[in-house]
Amino acid sequence: MRTLYFLLGLLIAGTALMADTRGWFGASPSLIRNVPRSIRDNPGAYRSLYSGSPRLFGGK
Amino acid sequence: MVAAGSPAARGFNCSNCGAPVELRALQHARAVACTSCGSILDPRDPNLRVLQKARSKESITPDIPLGTRGTWHGQPWEVIGFQRRSIEVDGIRYSWDEYVLFNPYRGFRYLSRYEGHWNDIRTVRELPEPTGSGKRPTIRYQGETYAHFQSATAHTDFVLGEFPWRVRLGDEVKVSDYNAPPYLLSSETTDDETTWSLGRYTDAQRIWQAFAVPGSPRTPSGVFANQPNPYKERASRSYRTLGLLLALFLVLVVGRLVTAAREQLLAARYTYQPKDQNAAFVTEPFAVRAPGTVEITLSADLTNAWIDFDLALINTDSGVAWNVERELSYYSGTDSDGAWSEGSRERRVLLPRIPAGEYYLRVEPEGEATSQPVSYVIQVRRDVPSLLPYGVALLLLVAPSIAATARSSSFERRRMQESDYGD
């Protein structure tokens, strides 16, 4: 029982370290792929809300 | 079995009912209760004087029959007497059984049973020393401190067989129990004397095996005065393990806090102009040199205003963007209760698992159109440690020890409910 507790404790501590370094307790950002480079020149064209649809980029 | 050479039992007939009465302890017995009529006789009197005639027809069959022999503590013992005694507490009568064991070379010892709990008892010659007289008095005996548990007047309700004292039905003695599990030190006080005995909590199965008692012993119910707490040692062991774990955990957390890079990638001050129709902008590129967390800190000089940020951390090469939205608001004032404030001028956003690479931040602030320009600062850092996972881990680490302590405490509470000090 004591060994199990110790091993479980090590697992918990290791998991905490992993959660910290990987940011498991951080924000859950929405991910968008293929953001066009032109956004740097025209930041107002970026639509994070709809950006799951690539066709919206460059609409302006 | 009784050792070779032990005296044989002597028999006579009950002077009350004529039934045969077997005498096992011979000259050591001071009273013998006829197993047939229950009358108590004086075995030392040549005429077998009746000390007390049976009062009731009540018949109780002992779990361990009289005459049963067994090996106990490495010595042969024979069960020669049985009595049922009781105490009355708050109008409720609690009864227990006592067995008299006899060995011609060792004398007498006793077994007691209450609600399936058994004690192995011997009388003691040394007087315990009072050591405390507070709310719960304590006494000391052979280096062990015993705490008072219960006092009551015990009443003898039923007897069978032989006894090393002049037992009588209806006998009353004042009994006081002091416990130090697994031991129970008890005193029995009459008008003439006080005798002390030491009991040790004993597994019933051991008694059943030692005396070859048929069947199985009754399962104990409740918690007895000197019943060892099975959770106490577990709780103690768990705290020793927890101590080791916490030491390792502390090393881990300190190590992480010391070695975290906390590298600043961006720190810039901007101003939001409410009348600006297109406030979105991008920052200068910055490099995230190692994969991991990225923390964005927003702080604004707000006074009774709010500002919302639509943020996107965009990888220059892959075109992957991580989008979050955060609002800052800060309001304050005074009312009849005094000064008040709500909201915060600063917020942090932790983005998980950001790959290494070159990034820029696309920022789109939005505020009240009628507000004043708002100055704000954006800071971006990578590999900033968060204490939240360690806090959660700490709770999980101590939970088993707390649970073990709770179980142990619950056991002790149940024990004390039977004492003079219970709720």
Side-chain angles (χ1 to χ4, degrees):
Chain A
M1 196 67 188
R2 198 176 168 186
T3 307
L4 181 67
Y5 184 18
F6 184 73
L7 292 176
L8 186 67
L10 290 183
L11 182 67
I12 290 170
T15 306
L17 180 64
M18 193 176 287
D20 173 25
T21 55
R22 297 196 173 193
W24 289 354
F25 285 81
S28 302
S30 58
L31 204 63
I32 299 168
R33 300 183 188 282
N34 303 318
V35 175
R37 289 174 181 272
S38 60
I39 288 299
R40 279 194 59 75
D41 301 321
N42 188 9
Y46 184 83
R47 293 289 181 272
S48 60
L49 187 59
Y50 308 110
S51 52
S53 309
R55 59 187 169 80
L56 292 173
F57 288 114
K60 280 189 178 178
Chain B
M1 301 299 286
V2 172
S6 62
R10 183 164 67 92
F12 55 83
N13 290 328
C14 173
S15 50
N16 182 55
C17 70
V21 176
E22 199 173 8
L23 197 60
R24 298 177 178 88
L26 301 178
Q27 72 274 18
H28 299 285
R30 299 283 307 277
V32 57
C34 173
T35 53
S36 178
C37 70
S39 294
I40 300 171
L41 313 172
D42 181 355
R44 295 183 177 188
D45 187 283
N47 300 317
L48 298 170
R49 181 165 56 97
V50 176
L51 295 171
Q52 187 180 34
K53 286 194 174 181
R55 286 182 180 175
S56 72
K57 302 277 184 195
E58 181 188 27
S59 179
I60 296 171
T61 304
D63 287 343
I64 310 174
L66 299 194
T68 301
R69 294 176 178 183
T71 302
W72 192 240
H73 296 288
Q75 302 289 331
W77 294 89
E78 184 172 5
V79 179
I80 64 166
F82 169 85
Q83 68 171 335
R84 176 161 292 177
R85 304 167 87 188
S86 63
I87 59 171
E88 189 172 310
V89 178
D90 297 333
I92 301 172
R93 188 154 287 278
Y94 301 90
S95 61
W96 71 95
D97 296 339
E98 291 179 1
Y99 294 82
V100 183
L101 307 184
F102 176 69
N103 174 301
Y105 305 108
R106 300 280 168 182
F108 296 91
R109 65 189 304 142
Y110 308 88
L111 296 173
S112 75
R113 179 190 71 92
Y114 173 74
E115 296 289 334
H117 300 278
W118 287 80
N119 264 277
D120 174 30
I121 301 167
R122 62 179 176 85
T123 54
V124 296
R125 292 193 179 90
E126 307 89 340
L127 279 179
E129 175 191 353
T131 53
S133 57
K135 186 186 172 195
R136 196 177 169 199
T138 55
I139 55 175
R140 196 160 179 82
Y141 176 73
Q142 291 189 339
E144 184 78 63
T145 300
Y146 295 76
H148 181 249
F149 188 79
Q150 189 177 51
S151 289
T153 300
H155 185 270
T156 303
D157 300 324
F158 180 82
V159 293
L160 271 184
E162 298 159 62
F163 293 83
W165 71 91
R166 285 248 171 127
V167 70
R168 293 176 72 90
L169 286 174
D171 274 352
E172 286 192 340
V173 291
K174 184 165 187 292
V175 292
S176 290
D177 293 332
Y178 297 79
N179 71 341
Y183 297 104
L184 188 71
L185 199 55
S186 302
S187 70
E188 295 193 5
T189 304
T190 63
D191 294 338
D192 306 324
E193 61 176 3
T194 296
T195 56
W196 288 88
S197 60
L198 181 67
R200 183 189 173 101
Y201 192 87
T202 302
D203 179 21
Q205 200 61 50
R206 270 191 64 211
I207 296 170
W208 252 241
Q209 286 172 355
F211 291 90
V213 182
S216 301
R218 178 185 160 183
T219 304
S221 70
V223 177
F224 195 62
N226 62 331
Q227 185 177 357
N229 184 340
Y231 306 109
K232 194 172 182 180
E233 180 55 27
R234 277 185 225 170
S236 175
R237 280 202 306 265
S238 78
Y239 274 107
R240 287 197 290 274
T241 306
L242 177 63
L244 183 60
L245 281 172
L246 288 181
L248 293 173
F249 188 67
L250 187 65
V251 169
L252 178 81
V253 174
V254 170
R256 168 63 179 149
L257 292 176
V258 168
T259 59
R262 295 186 183 84
E263 183 185 6
Q264 184 161 287
L265 309 176
L266 174 74
R269 178 175 285 275
Y270 307 93
T271 301
Y272 170 66
Q273 301 290 347
K275 291 174 184 170
D276 192 351
Q277 292 294 313
N278 189 6
F281 66 95
V282 294
T283 66
E284 289 299 310
F286 49 84
V288 175
R289 286 185 287 191
T293 57
V294 168
E295 183 191 75
I296 302 171
T297 305
L298 304 164
S299 55
D301 300 328
L302 292 169
T303 303
N304 292 324
W306 61 268
I307 184 169
D308 185 85
F309 293 95
D310 195 2
L311 303 168
L313 180 70
I314 303 170
N315 186 294
T316 308
D317 299 321
S318 66
V320 176
W322 286 261
N323 297 269
V324 288
E325 180 269 333
R326 289 291 184 274
E327 182 188 283
L328 292 180
S329 67
Y330 184 80
Y331 292 86
S332 63
T334 56
D335 58 18
S336 57
D337 294 329
W340 61 268
S341 68
E342 63 179 28
S344 173
R345 292 186 171 115
E346 183 177 295
R347 285 192 76 171
R348 294 167 191 270
V349 185
L350 188 69
L351 299 179
R353 285 166 292 175
I354 304 299
E358 188 182 70
Y359 290 83
Y360 61 92
L361 201 60
R362 187 258 181 192
V363 183
E364 186 172 351
E366 184 184 351
E368 289 177 271
T370 56
S371 71
Q372 298 294 312
V374 177
S375 174
Y376 61 93
V377 172
I378 297 177
Q379 284 187 67
V380 180
R381 296 189 299 171
R382 74 164 188 88
D383 194 26
V384 179
S386 166
L387 291 177
L388 181 60
Y390 301 106
V392 173
L394 188 61
L395 291 177
L396 293 174
L397 284 178
V398 301
S401 291
I402 290 174
T405 303
R407 278 197 297 268
S408 177
S409 300
S410 169
F411 189 91
E412 290 302 324
R413 273 197 303 277
R414 287 166 60 205
R415 184 202 305 282
M416 294 309 291
Q417 279 172 358
E418 301 295 322
S419 79
D420 290 346
Y421 307 92
D423 296 332

